[in-house]
Structures are given as C-alpha cells and as structure tokens.
Amino acid sequence: VQLQASGGGLVQAGGSLRLSCAASGRTFSSYAVGWFRQAPGKEREFVTAINWSGDSTSYIESVKGRFTISRDNAKNTVYLQMKSLKPEDTAVYYCAASTYYSGNSVRYNYWGQGTQVTVSS
C-alpha cells in the first residue's frame, strides 16, 4: 500500500483544513488508517484512527470535537477534517495504514510522506 497525504497549509487560529490520504492498492479497504503528527522538537504523536469499515474511530483528547476522521473506500481515501485549529496543532501530519486498528505507531507498516499544517495565532 502506498499512501499520499495532502491538504496541509497555513491557516489562522480558528480556521479549518481538510487533509486527504490517498492510497494505492486494491486491498486498502482492509486496512485501518491512522493520522499522526510531529511538531518541531517533539516526538511523533498519534492523533486519530479509523478502522477498515469506518464504523470505529478514536481520537486523542486534545482534538476531540474539533477533528473528524472518515474514509471512502470506493475512492481509496481517508480524510481528516480539522476545525477550530489552534497554534498547538502545527505539525507535519502523516497518514499510515495498518492491519491493526491501533493508536500505536509501531503497528503501522505503511506511511505517507507527510503534509505540513501551520496554524498562526
């Protein structure tokens, strides 16, 4: 599975962005997908994940109510809708695929290249 993340950019605090994670491979619908982020000088952290069918999702506490993960298996794409963005959301965002529905990055075998999200105050 090859993943391509896109949709990042510069936005003011309170604004919105939608990230996309486009996948190649006919078996994409059998994978869970997670979004992770890494801010400068910080370790990569789990943000959210969605299971293969889209009926289970999980989020870290700091993004609950602001971020929504979804997927369209017919389009081999997972989305991350981000609203009410805060400067602390600034990071490179990576999507990753796994046969496990997990918040643990070591479970993820396939990674996209990352897309930069910058939120100005």
Side-chain angles (χ1 to χ4, degrees), residues 48 59 63 65-70 79-83:
T48 179
Y59 301 88
V63 307
R66 300 189 298 120
F67 290 13
T68 303
I69 189 171
S70 62
Y79 304 98
L80 179 60
Q81 178 68 54
M82 305 185 295
K83 299 180 180 180

